[in-house]
Amino acid sequence: MAGILGRKVQQKLAEAMSKRSHFSKDEVDKLLDMWSLITAGGTRLDRNKFRDVLHNTFDMTDDILMDRVFRAFDKDMDSNLSQEEWVLGLSVFLRGTLEERVAYCFNVYDMNNDGYISREEMFQMLKNSMVKQTTEEDPDEGIKDIVELVLKKMDHDHDNRLSMDDFMKSVKEEDLLLEAFGPCLPDTKYREKFLADLESGNVCLDISQAKS
């Protein structure tokens, strides 16, 4: 009886979430099944388990960016993801509109959550994500040069930092700038595989195998 009741509650939740996301009711239902598998029937998804999903399913490896992706999903900032944060976060992560993805990437890059991406934040993210060179040249100087070039291109109001408006205008002019400071959205092949597996119902199996 409890299992039947639980399934009815989940289906009702899936229907409600489907109206607020880019997923169908059936897709949300499967995402909630995944949630139960990942959390072992718990009520919250913590940072470490979420990082396992990012790494094993989407091949993300940058520690700083994975932490920032978690923060972008964690809307109430309680250091855990609820079922709603899981589904709505994945909705943007996998199928977001341009405006949704711009806002998401901006939030990832705004490391101190002050509404701006500063020179220091750009430097930190680029320093962590760029391939280390084996030349004698100081790599920090090269990164500083890139930061200045990015600011020159994206800082529309010339205040030496990027606002959401600066970022939105820049990405609409050149969509490659969406992930200018490091990959925080899934690579196309991993996104398409996840969505194909979601449709076929194989995602839970993949995650289960990745954890073992």
Side-chain angles (χ1 to χ4, degrees):
M1 178 67 73
I4 295 174
L5 181 60
R7 174 54 65 182
K8 286 184 177 179
V9 170
Q10 178 168 310
Q11 288 178 346
K12 189 172 183 179
L13 184 61
E15 183 173 5
M17 286 191 188
S18 69
K19 296 174 182 177
R20 301 174 54 202
S21 71
H22 300 299
F23 296 120
S24 67
K25 177 185 174 182
D26 182 58
E27 288 173 328
V28 175
D29 192 44
K30 290 173 183 175
L31 289 173
L32 294 176
D33 284 341
M34 289 170 53
W35 162 272
S36 295
L37 179 68
I38 298 166
T39 63
T43 59
R44 286 290 185 269
L45 176 56
D46 66 32
R47 184 199 316 264
N48 289 333
K49 289 178 181 176
F50 182 71
R51 281 167 59 106
D52 286 343
V53 173
L54 292 180
H55 179 68
N56 294 326
T57 308
F58 299 106
D59 198 33
M60 290 190 168
T61 57
D62 188 307
D63 288 333
I64 290 178
L65 287 176
M66 285 195 288
D67 182 61
R68 293 304 305 165
V69 170
F70 177 82
R71 291 296 182 189
F73 274 59
D74 182 21
K75 296 299 185 184
D76 62 6
M77 295 183 291
D78 69 347
S79 297
N80 288 285
L81 301 187
S82 64
Q83 289 175 309
E84 181 175 325
E85 288 170 334
W86 164 251
V87 171
L88 298 184
L90 285 174
S91 176
V92 174
F93 191 70
L94 297 166
R95 287 184 175 156
T97 64
L98 177 62
E99 287 74 16
E100 287 173 336
R101 286 181 288 128
V102 167
Y104 160 82
C105 289
F106 185 89
N107 288 336
V108 168
Y109 300 145
D110 177 16
M111 298 178 74
N112 64 356
N113 303 310
D114 68 347
Y116 296 93
I117 304 173
S118 67
R119 268 190 173 88
E120 293 73 20
E121 287 167 329
M122 295 178 205
F123 179 84
Q124 183 63 38
M125 287 179 288
L126 289 171
K127 181 178 181 179
N128 198 58
S129 64
M130 290 182 66
V131 176
K132 302 294 188 295
Q133 300 296 324
T134 57
T135 64
E136 294 181 6
E137 183 180 346
D138 182 358
D140 286 0
E141 289 304 314
I143 295 168
K144 287 177 184 176
D145 290 343
I146 293 172
V147 168
E148 294 308 315
L149 287 172
V150 169
L151 269 173
K152 186 175 181 180
K153 186 172 184 64
M154 299 180 73
D155 180 21
H156 292 273
D157 58 8
H158 308 295
D159 64 351
N160 294 310
R161 58 185 183 177
L162 300 185
S163 65
M164 175 72 83
D165 190 51
D166 288 330
F167 196 67
M168 181 72 76
K169 286 180 180 177
S170 300
V171 173
K172 286 186 174 180
E173 290 173 0
E174 175 52 75
D175 59 3
L176 291 176
L177 293 172
L178 180 61
E179 295 182 89
F181 307 112
C184 57
L185 286 165
D187 183 273
T188 300
K189 66 179 179 181
Y190 295 113
R191 178 177 60 83
E192 290 179 351
K193 181 181 186 306
F194 184 94
L195 291 173
D197 287 347
L198 182 64
E199 184 176 351
S200 66
N202 290 330
V203 180
C204 287
L205 177 61
D206 288 347
I207 290 179
S208 178
Q209 290 174 338
K211 287 176 65 185
S212 60

